Amino acid sequence: MTVTAIILAAGAGQRFGGNKMEVLLAGIPVWRRSFDAFLSHPLVDQVGLVVSADALERMRTDAPEASFVVAGGATRQESARAGVTAAAAGLVLVHDGARPFVSADVITRVIAAAKESGAAYPAIPVTDTIRRVDAEADTTLDRDGLYRVQTPQAADREDLLRAYAASSAGTTDDIGALMQIGIRADRVNGDRKNVKLTNADDLARIPMETRTGLGYDIHSFSADPDRKMMLGGVEFDDRPGLDGHSDADALIHAVVDALLGAVNLGDIGLHYPNTDPRWKDQPSVTFLKETAVRLKELGWEIVNIDSTVVAERPKVLPKRDEVCRTMAAAAGISPERVSLKATTNERLGAIGRSEGIAAFAVATVKRHDT
């Protein structure tokens, strides 16, 4: 018997406030986590995607492993019918793409029960007190026998198509449609982690991973008397500036190293080596912008940047706010998340002799830990 899984990812996300399917969880979109759970399952032969019409071509490119990618409808039932219609004959599992934490064990249990009885679904007992509230009174319901129904829900392809054709518009899941045509389904143990992302605050329940990185850089002053002095992406009036392959912005170099270090991506020399002519005299703020984009693509959010400049000159604090705004804009965060301090080296060592400038930075980042 062919087993086909269908991932429903065509919802508009109105209650979520945006396209929840594209939200990154540990760097992976919600839809992709759901898709991969079935793609990697040894009992699943095919995996198809149901997406919005305007995402159809893009998703065919983003999921080349999909057995099919079809456009969904205005309701969940219409989208499910489109997916089941495209599936091969045999057992079909319909899964909400907004449940990205479905486990292999749940999938296995549903498949085994559906092969035995013809249809199956996962569910977990209700543990909260449930009340029905109306204009007359509040009524506490007996929660014994009440379950929270999850997906995937499985049945024979032809049974599902008959159920969709006959069911009422208010049916909210596949098992409900099957019940209306007299098909009973086995209930198997679900998983409390198999939650559905419905509202934006559902993300707050997902554990976050937080990391911190440290960055340091030092540059000597240039022998060129006209060399610009750049710190934090801002030009200072002092001359000469710092010597280096790029614009030698020691402050931004330290910040970039802190960000890269926080997510274990090496250092600035690995990504922007001074042997590469592309970076000759380039503004270092470009490095910060590109690093911020790279972190975002991996699902990381920059929480805070704290930095310190160690120098006898120039006077940094008069331009502190401008530097913080410039670095914040490059990093894609608000200026309130960027801190800059400055100190001298009390005339000690090379920095104290005004031979150059050093900078330290600490960056904190976070992403959903799944």
Side-chain angles (χ1 to χ4, degrees), residues 313-337:
R313 70 171 184 88
K315 297 297 183 184
V316 175
L317 295 186
K319 290 195 173 186
R320 177 178 58 187
D321 291 345
E322 183 181 358
V323 169
C324 288
R325 288 194 302 269
T326 300
M327 292 200 298
I333 58 178
S334 65
E336 291 75 18
R337 294 190 179 194

Side-chain angles (χ1 to χ4, degrees), residues 288-338:
L288 180 52
K289 289 178 181 177
E290 292 187 0
T291 299
V293 170
R294 185 175 286 113
L295 265 62
K296 185 176 181 180
E297 290 173 345
L298 294 173
W300 293 102
E301 176 188 344
I302 301 173
V303 177
N304 182 70
I305 295 171
D306 183 25
S307 59
T308 300
V309 171
V310 184
E312 300 298 322
R313 70 171 184 88
K315 297 297 183 184
V316 175
L317 295 186
K319 290 195 173 186
R320 177 178 58 187
D321 291 345
E322 183 181 358
V323 169
C324 288
R325 288 194 302 269
T326 300
M327 292 200 298
I333 58 178
S334 65
E336 291 75 18
R337 294 190 179 194
V338 179

Side-chain angles (χ1 to χ4, degrees), residues 10-310:
Q14 293 178 345
R15 286 176 290 178
F16 192 83
N19 188 356
K20 59 189 172 185
M21 296 299 168
E22 297 297 334
V23 171
L24 297 180
L25 301 176
I28 303 173
V30 165
W31 72 266
R32 184 80 214 195
R33 295 188 71 91
S34 298
F35 180 82
D36 286 347
F38 291 87
L39 188 67
S40 62
H41 198 283
L43 298 181
V44 177
D45 301 304
Q46 299 182 343
V47 185
L49 276 167
V50 181
V51 302
S52 59
D54 58 355
L56 195 59
E57 294 305 317
R58 176 175 61 83
M59 293 298 280
R60 283 173 175 163
T61 299
D62 290 349
E65 315 94 326
S67 301
F68 54 85
V69 181
V70 296
T75 66
R76 183 192 186 280
Q77 184 167 310
E78 290 176 4
S79 294
R81 181 187 296 182
V84 173
T85 300
L91 188 66
V92 177
L93 283 73
V94 182
H95 183 67
D96 294 327
R99 293 184 185 271
F101 310 119
V102 61
S103 69
D105 287 344
V106 168
I107 297 171
T108 298
R109 288 196 290 270
V110 170
I111 292 174
K115 284 183 175 181
E116 180 71 23
S117 66
Y121 66 96
I124 58 175
V126 170
T127 57
D128 296 329
T129 296
I130 305 296
R131 288 194 177 93
R132 184 189 301 278
V133 179
D134 55 34
E136 301 299 325
D138 293 357
T139 304
T140 300
L141 303 181
D142 183 358
R143 65 189 177 198
D144 288 344
L146 294 180
Y147 286 82
R148 293 168 54 190
V149 176
Q150 302 177 332
T151 65
Q153 299 181 5
D156 181 80
R157 176 181 181 272
E158 300 308 316
D159 287 342
L160 284 169
L161 290 177
R162 286 195 302 112
Y164 296 144
S167 66
S168 61
T171 304
T172 59
D173 70 350
D174 315 288
I175 297 303
L178 289 167
M179 291 172 62
Q180 289 185 9
I181 63 171
I183 295 178
R184 292 183 58 83
D186 276 358
R187 171 179 49 80
V188 302
N189 290 333
D191 185 346
R192 296 195 180 278
K193 293 182 180 179
N194 186 21
V195 297
K196 184 178 181 182
L197 302 180
T198 302
N199 302 300
D201 58 3
D202 290 338
L203 290 174
R205 302 173 188 174
I206 303 174
M208 300 294 293
E209 178 183 7
T210 302
R211 296 188 187 179
T212 301
L214 172 67
Y216 169 78
D217 195 40
I218 185 169
H219 282 269
S220 62
F221 288 117
S222 173
D224 179 359
D226 297 322
R227 174 82 167 174
K228 289 182 180 179
M229 171 70 75
M230 300 298 299
L231 286 174
V234 174
E235 183 177 349
F236 285 72
D237 295 333
D238 297 61
R239 295 291 186 273
L242 297 170
D243 186 47
H245 186 66
S246 63
D247 65 1
D249 190 327
L251 176 55
I252 283 189
H253 292 184
V255 169
V256 170
D257 262 356
L259 290 169
L260 292 172
V263 299
N264 197 21
L265 286 180
D267 60 18
I268 193 171
L270 177 65
H271 297 274
Y272 308 103
N274 58 13
T275 55
D276 191 332
R278 287 182 300 167
W279 314 126
K280 178 63 176 174
D281 296 325
Q282 286 296 307
S284 296
V285 71
T286 300
F287 307 157
L288 180 52
K289 289 178 181 177
E290 292 187 0
T291 299
V293 170
R294 185 175 286 113
L295 265 62
K296 185 176 181 180
E297 290 173 345
L298 294 173
W300 293 102
E301 176 188 344
I302 301 173
V303 177
N304 182 70
I305 295 171
D306 183 25
S307 59
T308 300
V309 171
V310 184

